Amino acid sequence: MMELRLRYRVAASAAVGLIAVIMVVGALYPSLKDTFGKLNVPEGVANLLGGADYSTLTGWLQSEIVATYGPLVFCAVGITTAVATTTGDEDDRILATLLAHPIVRTRLLLAKTLALALLILAVSAATWIGFLIGVAIAGGGISTAHLAAQAAHLGLLGLTYAALALALGAATGRKMIAAGGATGLAILGFLVNGLAPLASALTWTQYLSPFYYYASHEPLTNGVQWGHLAVLAAISLALVGVGLAGFRHRDLRG
């Protein structure tokens, strides 16, 4: 598929980078676990860092990879690729050229969405491999199934924000709106999920954040949470539907 050939470099770079970082984090754990133990940090900071518990390998990976670095990479890959495949192609007049042929807009955007999902799936699989290697280097202790669960949750989180960027780009054709809007909402979702529990009146806002469905069940500790993955998948599908509706009725630039 042409879309995969055009976009694979970002996903490949992210996959290699994730594997390398997870390996380094795994290698550092044996020498640092006794030094760090459980850091005494403010509750809000601990929430943002996945608990900041460095006394176990699970807590170490949770704080170093799962809470911040992993979501950052997946959201970045999803958003940048989605923006490139919609507004980027429109700016380069690629969309206009493609649609000059007898190609239905819905079919074109669905093909781009499928390619985007496959790229995120590939990064998710690479992350699982990275976890397997990193945990083995650190001495083991986390099951293969739980590592796969964490990789799956990361993938669905990335897909959710990719679908958001896709919807904004397809509906508006504006790169700044697609990239800025999706990035801003990703940052807001991260902060809401981490800080809302500190104020009882605002706890309910957690449920509005995709990060809640990504992280609250702690898949690295408890395994996959199918209900939460279903919520992220439903959000993604709804956003793709919004993008399709906007793309069908919008005049393309150029």
Side-chain angles (χ1 to χ4, degrees):
M1 184 185 291
M2 183 180 69
E3 196 66 32
L4 289 175
R5 291 197 299 269
L6 289 173
R7 312 298 174 197
Y8 79 91
R9 290 180 181 84
V10 172
S13 298
V16 171
L18 274 166
I19 291 175
V21 170
I22 294 171
M23 289 173 60
V24 170
V25 169
L28 288 174
Y29 174 70
S31 61
L32 296 179
K33 62 179 179 179
D34 294 330
T35 303
F36 283 154
K38 184 173 177 60
L39 296 181
N40 183 21
V41 297
E43 183 180 355
V45 176
N47 286 343
L48 292 175
L49 295 179
D53 179 9
Y54 294 98
S55 63
T56 66
L57 178 57
T58 300
W60 172 251
L61 290 175
Q62 184 78 26
S63 297
E64 296 299 307
I65 302 295
V66 174
T68 52
Y69 184 76
L72 173 65
V73 172
F74 272 84
C75 288
V77 169
I79 291 171
T80 56
T81 305
V83 170
T85 199
T86 52
T87 59
D89 280 358
E90 189 168 355
D91 287 345
D92 295 335
R93 306 297 188 262
I94 295 175
L95 281 180
T97 301
L98 288 173
L99 292 172
H101 297 82
I103 301 176
V104 179
R105 287 192 181 195
T106 297
R107 181 180 176 184
L108 176 62
L109 191 59
L110 285 177
K112 288 176 172 291
T113 302
L114 176 60
L116 179 59
L118 290 174
L119 291 172
I120 293 175
L121 176 62
V123 179
S124 185
T127 302
W128 180 55
I129 293 172
F131 276 136
L132 290 173
I133 298 172
V135 169
I137 292 173
I142 305 176
S143 73
T144 300
H146 285 189
L147 296 175
Q150 185 59 67
H153 277 250
L154 277 166
L156 262 294
L157 178 71
L159 184 61
T160 299
Y161 284 102
L164 174 59
L166 188 85
L168 291 172
T172 67
R174 302 297 176 183
K175 185 176 293 186
M176 289 300 297
I177 293 176
T183 301
L185 287 173
I187 294 171
L188 179 62
F190 173 75
L191 293 175
V192 166
N193 182 63
L195 300 179
L198 300 180
S200 57
L202 298 177
T203 301
W204 63 272
T205 60
Q206 274 190 298
Y207 301 110
L208 302 178
S209 169
F211 278 87
Y212 172 82
Y213 303 99
Y214 157 68
S216 65
H217 186 70
E218 297 186 359
L220 197 61
T221 300
N222 301 309
V224 67
Q225 174 59 36
W226 295 108
H228 286 192
L229 290 184
V231 171
L232 292 175
I235 294 172
S236 300
L237 289 173
L239 289 169
V240 171
V242 171
L244 286 170
F247 190 58
R248 281 199 301 266
H249 300 101
R250 181 172 62 81
D251 290 333
L252 297 182
R253 289 178 286 113

